Amino acid sequence: MGNDYLDGLDRAHLVHPVVSWSEHERRGATILESGNGAYLRDSEGREHLDGFSGLWCVNIGYGHDSVVEAAARQMRQLPYATGYFHYASEPSIRFAEAIAQRTPGDLDHVYFTLGGSDAVDSAVRFIRYYHNVTGAPQRKHFIALERGYHGSTSIGSGLTALPVFHDNFDGPSPFQHHIPSPYPYRNPAGPSEEAIIAESVRALRAAIERLGAENVAAFFCEPIQGSGGIIVPPRGWLKAMHQVCREYGVLLVVDEVITGFGRTGPLFALEDEGVVPDLMTMAKGLTSGYAPLGAVVLGERVYRGIADNAPAGKPVGHGFTYSGHPVSCAVGLEVLRLYEEGGLLANGQRVGAYFQQRLAELVDHPLVGEARGRGLLGALELVTDKEHKTKPDPSLRLADRLLALARERGLIFRAFADDILGFAPPLCCSNEDIDLLIERLSSTLDAALDEPDIHAALRHRPQ
């Protein structure tokens, strides 16, 4: 009775993100009640292994009492402090310093947001302001990658290059442009890492020169593309793109919203490339999802460009009511302690290597064309013909059916729109948790293969 009542209220009143509204009215919600470690329990008492860390965010796992206590202490002492009018709170100051100490190079200036989408939006606004006050007001164009994801605000959704975020939203805007994803599995340049990097460099150069280098404000990219299908560029790709940006005087923004805080191994994925971008965005693992928080971190060039060239005494007109929220920052400080002193970052590195090993074993399954990833970030790309890399016919609704089959087996992962399965287990996982994830995933794939229409599709070979 209670669960049915809540489900009815949900259908009637709660608008969910990125779903078909009419389908949700028919289907209803799976109501989650509790979590511990890598596991969730729903309102019907079923346990689920969360192979996606909520929404790539609960990196430390569920149920850490020390984080709850940090939030409660701050709520009792000072639940809110504005950052306007030169006010601040101790947690926001200390957390900004902690982030600046850990970001590379001169990325020392932290503006707090509520999540990744508004961090990207803030980065765009700061970039526009910077160019306007430093004598380059014509730099209005932004370049990003196809299959990239940079949030769903009015500005960020245009940098995002996934059709569902553009359809009927009038995006992208004329000043937003996209170049092809490196996408090694399906890159026209072939499988050679050098050729893939060379093609991305060529495409970025061509886009900048077509627009006019003097007109391009910034290039946005993820070190590993997340919502576009967990696309892992060859090592050296990010460094090469950075070099092109420097050559043309274009700002580089690295979006670490998904990849940050141990998801790929190091604290930030860009550490593998030794790149220091001009701006960097982060969220999700920043607080491990225990409280809303995001950030854009500015390098010295952009920060000083704004600070030293803004009209004297005039405020820089960008701000959020909850920027630097003391409770969220207190949570972030404790989550950071758990990553480092608590050993979760090191555990994620050990278990991440094991996860990649176990995930790769599934490439032999008839439905799997490629297994890929880095650290505790992985994907399976589904095909019905391995030799030709044939995508499943949309009429099969393969990814959606796999989600349902996995739910029956107590496993949560993400199915992307073009038949790619995504995984992002928490950093607290043990090898045994990974074994269970792979066991349930393998069982899910086998169950799909037993479906007559799916099995029949595998026998079809295009001529």
Side-chain angles (χ1 to χ4, degrees):
M1 178 66 176
N3 195 57
D4 289 343
Y5 178 68
L6 280 176
D7 184 53
L9 293 179
D10 175 274
R11 296 180 203 231
H13 302 296
L14 183 59
V15 179
H16 287 250
V18 197
V19 297
S20 162
W21 292 5
S22 59
E23 181 183 342
H24 185 77
E25 287 177 338
R26 292 190 297 271
R27 181 200 180 280
T30 300
I31 302 170
L32 300 172
E33 281 195 344
S34 62
N36 185 52
Y39 297 86
L40 290 165
R41 187 170 294 276
D42 67 27
S43 57
E44 296 182 358
R46 296 173 299 191
E47 187 179 74
H48 307 263
L49 172 54
D50 186 0
F52 208 67
S53 296
L55 194 66
W56 338 73
C57 58
V58 189
N59 290 10
I60 65 171
Y62 301 91
H64 284 276
D65 288 339
S66 65
V67 180
V68 177
E69 290 161 6
R73 279 195 306 272
Q74 187 59 44
M75 280 190 169
R76 292 188 191 99
Q77 180 176 336
L78 182 67
Y80 173 78
T82 182
Y84 282 61
F85 322 123
H86 307 286
Y87 288 108
S89 67
E90 182 174 348
S92 61
I93 294 169
R94 291 197 179 278
F95 200 30
E97 180 210 21
I99 293 168
Q101 287 179 342
R102 289 161 177 81
T103 46
D106 63 356
L107 286 161
D108 291 335
H109 307 279
V110 181
Y111 177 76
F112 285 116
T113 66
L114 269 289
S117 288
D118 55 343
V120 168
D121 203 72
S122 296
V124 170
R125 283 175 58 77
F126 290 143
I127 289 166
R128 284 173 166 167
Y129 198 103
Y130 166 79
H131 286 308
N132 284 335
V133 299
T134 57
Q138 77 284 354
R139 287 189 180 266
K140 300 302 183 191
H141 292 274
F142 292 80
I143 302 171
L145 290 175
E146 294 174 1
R147 305 185 74 90
Y149 183 77
H150 300 288
S152 60
T153 60
S154 295
I155 291 295
S157 62
L159 291 170
T160 290
L162 301 173
V164 71
F165 292 93
H166 297 165
D167 294 346
N168 298 311
F169 286 110
D170 299 335
S173 298
F175 58 84
Q176 296 172 320
H177 313 271
H178 300 92
I179 62 173
S181 163
Y183 204 177
Y185 184 60
R186 297 185 182 275
N187 197 303
S192 161
E193 293 189 351
E194 293 79 8
I196 290 168
I197 292 172
E199 177 55 26
S200 283
V201 166
R202 185 207 64 76
L204 182 55
R205 286 182 186 278
I208 292 172
E209 291 177 3
R210 174 175 57 82
L211 295 166
E214 71 281 3
N215 299 318
V216 180
F219 172 61
F220 275 72
C221 67
E222 303 158 90
I224 294 175
Q225 293 187 276
S227 295
I230 308 182
I231 308 299
V232 185
R235 292 187 186 275
W237 177 88
L238 184 60
K239 185 173 289 187
M241 303 306 271
H242 186 209
Q243 183 58 43
V244 174
C245 290
R246 292 177 65 182
E247 179 182 337
Y248 287 98
V250 171
L251 297 178
L252 172 64
V253 186
V254 174
D255 186 334
E256 290 259 10
V257 169
I258 287 170
T259 53
F261 300 96
R263 175 55 56 201
T264 68
L267 194 64
F268 299 109
L270 55 69
E271 293 178 34
D272 283 334
E273 301 262 339
V275 166
V276 181
D278 297 287
L279 300 94
M280 181 176 172
T281 57
M282 59 186 69
K284 295 191 184 293
L286 183 63
T287 61
S288 202
Y290 279 58
L293 194 68
V296 54
V297 188
L298 293 80
E300 197 69 15
R301 172 187 172 189
V302 175
Y303 177 81
R304 287 257 59 93
I306 294 174
D308 296 343
N309 293 283
K314 185 176 181 180
V316 175
H318 181 69
F320 301 142
T321 299
Y322 299 113
S323 180
H325 194 283
V327 177
S328 293
C329 289
V331 165
L333 283 163
E334 176 57 20
V335 167
L336 186 58
R337 189 191 71 79
L338 290 174
Y339 286 136
E340 297 176 342
E341 296 174 25
L344 285 172
L345 190 65
N347 187 72
Q349 291 165 354
R350 288 192 299 271
V351 177
Y354 184 68
F355 172 63
Q356 292 300 324
Q357 172 193 323
R358 292 300 321 272
L359 191 67
E361 295 170 10
L362 295 177
V363 78
D364 292 332
H365 194 279
L367 286 171
V368 177
E370 183 183 50
R372 57 177 178 259
R374 189 175 296 165
L376 284 166
L377 183 63
L380 296 180
E381 182 149 350
L382 305 174
V383 296
T384 51
D385 183 328
K386 289 175 179 282
E387 181 184 354
H388 297 91
K389 301 181 182 179
T390 306
K391 283 187 170 292
D393 190 287
S395 64
L396 288 175
R397 297 177 48 255
L398 180 56
D400 288 342
R401 291 163 71 178
L402 283 165
L403 276 183
L405 290 166
R407 190 177 297 114
E408 293 171 5
R409 288 158 176 78
L411 177 62
I412 295 172
F413 54 79
R414 182 162 178 188
F416 298 107
D418 54 352
D419 293 298
I420 297 170
L421 308 183
F423 306 90
L427 275 61
C428 66
C429 281
S430 65
N431 284 5
E432 290 73 24
D433 293 324
I434 298 302
D435 287 338
L436 183 60
L437 187 157
I438 297 298
E439 176 189 318
R440 292 180 178 178
L441 176 57
S442 181
S443 172
T444 298
L445 291 167
D446 288 344
L449 195 58
D450 288 339
E451 297 286 338
D453 58 338
I454 295 173
H455 188 77
L458 281 176
R459 294 199 295 267
H460 172 68
R461 296 292 183 268
Q463 300 301 312

